[in-house]
Amino acid sequence: ARGTGDSAAARVMLDDTISAFPNEPLPYLRRGTLLMTDSALVGDAIEDFTRAIELDPANAEAYRFRAISHMSMGNDDLAAADIVATTRAQPFDDQIRVVAANRLIEMGREGIAADVIDEGLERSAGNLRLLVNAGSIFARADNHLKAVQYLQSAWEQSKDASVASMLLDSMLALPRPDLRAARQITSDPALGALNASLEQLVLARKANDADFTVMSMIDARLVSLRKEIQFEKSASKQSKPLTEGL
């Protein structure tokens, strides 16, 4: 097959390149990505990625591909270690850190994912983008307790309406939501237009004469208020005496 022939030719070329430049990491990385497509050669690919890392410890891509290779062989512990290593190879790259944390969450290793995020926050205290992204990925994983932790810090720092909306969503998704804390957020003077009743907000939304930022704030407040009302109704039903209605 043409594809097989192309792969064989690429393999020969990379072998020759490595023979000529044995201390260059890139050819090992490229040969490894070629080898890992063949299940029988994944072990050889891992060796190439390991050599690339030895030559260039800051090569996050080599760790990432080695992690994928370990996973394909069922070695999830080794894969998780390499995913963490990508963040240490490039410690100031927030995108690598968030992708790594998200992958660890998908692997069921939320504690390690949180450690990865926290390590980044230690390096860059008050990193708003990292805080918001961390809150978002934990919220998507239904770990709203952890999401609240990051989003609360983001909210205190930014006082931003979109952050408030994310924080309220996670707060109200907790098994026992703290409605008092939620109301403190929605009544914060920083949110301005959000300090209104549900009826006033509905009227403002229908009027549709506000700018985009204000409309977004109104929508966020509507969502949070409706959730608060839903939780209050649910709590009220649960707290009714058993003899009521008899």
Side-chain angles (χ1 to χ4, degrees):
R2 180 178 178 182
T4 303
D6 290 345
S7 296
R11 170 72 185 272
V12 170
M13 183 177 67
L14 287 167
D15 288 346
D16 291 344
T17 303
I18 287 171
S19 295
F21 305 99
N23 294 319
E24 288 295 323
L26 187 56
Y28 290 100
L29 178 61
R30 288 181 173 170
R31 188 172 69 177
T33 59
L34 178 65
L35 297 175
M36 69 187 288
T37 61
D38 185 337
S39 59
L41 299 176
V42 174
D44 293 335
I46 289 174
E47 290 181 6
D48 274 354
F49 296 137
T50 300
R51 181 59 180 152
I53 291 166
E54 290 171 351
L55 294 169
D56 180 12
N59 194 328
E61 283 292 276
Y63 282 110
R64 184 172 72 87
F65 282 119
R66 194 171 70 174
I68 294 170
S69 299
H70 282 312
M71 287 190 68
S72 73
M73 298 182 72
N75 297 324
D76 286 359
D77 288 345
L78 293 175
D82 273 346
I83 291 171
V84 172
T86 65
T87 68
R88 292 173 180 166
Q90 295 293 328
F92 297 103
D93 190 320
D94 287 345
Q95 183 176 358
I96 288 177
R97 189 170 300 279
V98 171
V99 169
N102 192 55
R103 190 70 190 95
L104 289 163
I105 290 172
E106 291 174 351
M107 295 172 68
R109 298 172 188 241
E110 294 186 6
I112 300 176
D115 290 342
V116 163
I117 295 297
D118 293 345
E119 194 170 295
L121 292 172
E122 287 175 6
R123 291 179 178 276
S124 179
N127 186 329
L128 181 60
R129 184 181 298 273
L130 184 56
L131 285 167
V132 172
N133 283 328
S136 177
I137 61 176
F138 276 100
R140 288 199 303 270
D142 288 328
N143 187 338
H144 293 285
L145 189 62
K146 200 67 182 175
V148 166
Q149 175 186 326
Y150 294 121
L151 292 172
Q152 183 72 49
S153 296
W155 160 246
E156 291 170 358
Q157 178 182 332
S158 68
K159 296 296 183 178
D160 179 82
S162 60
V163 174
S165 179
M166 293 172 65
L167 174 57
L168 288 165
D169 281 346
S170 281
M171 290 177 71
L172 297 170
L174 293 171
R176 300 183 64 182
D178 187 342
L179 296 181
R180 178 178 295 180
R183 288 196 182 95
Q184 287 177 345
I185 293 169
T186 58
S187 62
D188 193 295
L191 296 182
L194 300 186
N195 299 326
S197 69
L198 180 60
E199 293 76 11
Q200 290 171 318
L201 287 169
V202 170
L203 289 173
R205 192 69 182 85
K206 287 180 177 178
N208 199 28
D209 58 359
D211 63 31
F212 177 79
T213 301
V214 173
M215 296 306 294
S216 297
M217 294 167 69
I218 288 173
D219 286 343
R221 178 63 174 133
L222 277 169
V223 169
S224 65
L225 264 175
R226 284 169 177 149
K227 286 187 176 181
E228 287 179 31
I229 291 168
Q230 180 181 353
F231 273 108
E232 286 181 339
K233 286 181 178 178
S234 176
S236 176
K237 288 180 182 178
Q238 293 175 8
S239 63
K240 286 181 179 179
L242 292 177
T243 55
E244 185 175 317
L246 294 181

